[in-house]
Amino acid sequence: MRRANSSVFTCFIASFFYKKIIVQDQFMVFFTFFSFMWLFLCGVWAFYQFVGDASLAWLGLTVNSLALPFWVAYRHFKAEKINADLRETPAFFLVLTGLLITLLTDQEKGVPLYFSLYNLFIVLLYLFQFSRLRFPRDYKTMLEFPPATRGSSDESEEKASLWVFLRSPWCAHSRAVVTCLEQNAGKFAEAGVRITLWLAKGNRISGNKPLAENIEIKTWAGGEVGVEMDGGQPLLARISGQGSDALKPSYWLLDSCGRILWRHLPANYRTPGDPLQALGFVGRAG
């Protein structure tokens, strides 16, 4: 009986901890920052050990540690050309490759092996837990946006409006979405769809090339629809005071009355989805 009660109490505490701490955006931001700092420093230290020791086990740990930070940094600067996937396949492949090298060469089963396994655990948490999105449950049953939040975006002559909530301009995935919309602005114009890019307060899209005529940028001032990400900006940006709020990336196709014709709520901010899917639902506007 005591064991049963102890198990129930343990499950209750674990559930409370998960709901109150693990799922909070602030904790996710902190964990992401800590994880990438650990992976980078661990990789640099392992490379230093490899240079001095010339052991392949240390080389495996170096590859295992630096794969994800280097890949994310590379994709950040090449956001317009490289699309992310849920598993970040190139980086994940290198993480497993480094672990395999360490398993085959670390005969003593020492630090390189243990750190490689620990790094794999961190990478899996980041990929499948700490970059995911949680939307309100009523999003999937909501039929229209509240008039107070629609503003004047539904007063144009187009058949429909595609609302695109961007996480932030500093997000590589958001910049990739903007590039995709710019390249296909003509298709949306032909279908009679006006595109509205929503950004959080303090955000702006920088660039030398102006956006297409049927694309407008607006600042989301909040409302009855909870698309704000509490603490969604990177930790370094928040500490330096240069960061700004973030929004949960999503797509909403609305008719002239604000009725929702189609929506896409991604499960992970690294995979915002293809906005071109909205073109297949414009006919619902009548």
Side-chain angles (χ1 to χ4, degrees):
M1 180 64 68
R2 290 184 178 181
R3 287 186 176 182
N5 292 337
S6 177
S7 300
V8 172
F9 179 76
T10 302
C11 292
F12 173 79
I13 294 297
S15 176
F16 177 84
F17 180 80
Y18 177 82
K19 292 181 179 180
K20 297 299 182 181
I21 299 180
I22 296 296
V23 300
Q24 295 297 320
D25 293 326
Q26 298 93 330
F27 182 85
M28 293 165 60
V29 171
F30 172 78
F31 180 87
T32 301
F33 172 79
F34 171 80
S35 298
F36 276 82
M37 284 297 297
W38 163 263
L39 292 173
F40 177 76
L41 294 177
C42 182
V44 172
W45 174 70
F47 180 75
Y48 176 78
Q49 296 294 327
F50 169 71
V51 172
D53 193 5
S55 172
L56 289 179
W58 291 110
L59 177 62
L61 178 59
T62 303
V63 175
N64 173 271
S65 302
L66 296 179
L68 184 62
F70 274 43
W71 168 251
V72 170
Y74 176 74
R75 186 167 48 72
H76 177 79
F77 293 106
K78 298 290 185 179
E80 293 78 10
K81 298 181 180 180
I82 302 176
N83 293 324
D85 60 79
L86 185 60
R87 287 183 291 272
E88 300 287 5
T89 304
F92 193 53
F93 173 77
L94 291 177
V95 169
L96 295 179
T97 300
L99 176 60
L100 178 62
I101 295 174
T102 305
L103 283 170
L104 296 177
T105 58
D106 189 9
Q107 303 296 332
E108 298 179 356
K109 301 296 185 291
V111 172
L113 177 58
Y114 290 122
F115 276 20
S116 294
L117 292 172
Y118 177 66
N119 291 342
L120 176 61
F121 176 71
I122 289 180
V123 170
L124 290 174
L125 277 180
Y126 168 72
L127 292 180
F128 298 104
Q129 173 64 29
F130 292 103
S131 58
R132 68 185 181 91
L133 294 171
R134 293 165 302 280
F135 292 93
R137 294 181 178 179
D138 59 348
Y139 265 29
K140 295 183 178 181
T141 58
M142 191 167 57
L143 299 179
E144 65 178 35
F145 264 82
T149 61
R150 291 203 303 269
S152 60
S153 62
D154 55 351
E155 297 177 358
S156 59
E157 298 179 356
E158 283 80 1
K159 289 183 180 179
S161 299
L162 177 62
W163 282 20
V164 180
F165 288 94
L166 300 175
R167 184 169 173 240
S168 187
W170 39 254
C171 178
H173 318 289
S174 296
R175 298 203 312 275
V177 169
V178 173
T179 300
C180 176
L181 292 173
E182 285 184 301
Q183 294 174 347
N184 296 277
K187 296 181 180 180
F188 285 97
E190 293 176 2
V193 178
R194 184 167 187 82
I195 302 172
T196 301
L197 304 179
W198 288 100
L199 295 171
K201 291 181 179 179
N203 282 329
R204 64 183 181 87
I205 295 179
S206 59
N208 299 324
K209 185 176 64 173
L211 298 176
E213 294 183 359
N214 62 326
I215 300 179
E216 61 179 343
I217 303 174
K218 290 189 175 183
T219 299
W220 183 258
E224 300 176 38
V225 184
V227 296
E228 299 83 2
M229 290 182 66
D230 184 17
Q233 66 271 40
L235 187 62
L236 284 179
R238 183 191 298 184
I239 294 175
S240 63
Q242 299 178 354
S244 54
D245 295 333
L247 301 179
K248 296 177 181 178
S250 56
Y251 305 134
W252 303 78
L253 184 65
L254 311 176
D255 65 7
S256 58
C257 298
R259 289 187 292 267
I260 300 173
L261 308 175
W262 170 80
R263 81 202 85 192
H264 177 66
L265 310 175
N268 195 297
Y269 65 71
R270 293 181 294 104
T271 55
D274 185 7
L276 297 180
Q277 295 180 10
L279 293 174
F281 298 88
V282 179
R284 294 181 177 181

